[in-house]
Amino acid sequence: HVTTTSYLFMMVCKTELTQREREILVQMRQHRIKMWIVAETLCCSVETVSPIYQQFKQTNNVDKKLRNGWPRKTTAREDRE
């Protein structure tokens, strides 16, 4: 069942949270605020909230993880040419 509020929420959801938003997320979870409320407040999904909080509990850190991405097909020099 999709309400108007949840539909609008899904349309404006972000894909990544800022450092400050991650800190707020942790504070909210430490105050036992439910994950769906945290997600709605920060305009993200519950699937975003859970791993960030799990990472904080394990490492006491909310920094973004380093990602490698796809390997380059061209060198930086080739890109400049």
Side-chain angles (χ1 to χ4, degrees):
H1 152 329
V2 177
T3 64
T4 306
T5 305
S6 62
Y7 179 71
L8 291 173
F9 167 71
M10 289 185 285
M11 289 176 34
V12 294
C13 256
K14 292 182 237 173
T15 56
E16 204 164 314
L17 297 179
T18 65
Q19 182 71 20
R20 181 68 184 131
E21 289 169 329
R22 289 167 166 264
E23 293 165 1
I24 292 168
L25 178 153
V26 168
Q27 291 171 356
M28 291 176 78
R29 287 298 294 142
Q30 287 176 329
H31 284 93
R32 306 250 188 248
I33 296 174
K34 295 181 187 224
M35 274 199 252
W36 72 268
I37 295 173
V38 174
E40 203 165 279
T41 303
L42 296 174
C43 195
C44 67
S45 67
V46 173
E47 289 81 10
T48 300
V49 172
S50 183
I52 292 173
Y53 190 61
Q54 292 301 320
Q55 175 193 354
F56 173 77
K57 288 195 311 189
Q58 291 173 356
T59 65
N60 205 28
N61 188 338
V62 292
D63 292 339
K64 294 178 187 174
K65 294 180 183 177
L66 292 177
R67 297 179 285 208
N68 292 333
W70 289 95
R72 291 182 62 96
K73 295 290 182 189
T74 60
T75 65
R77 183 177 184 178
E78 290 171 335
D79 290 343
R80 287 191 301 268
E81 295 175 353

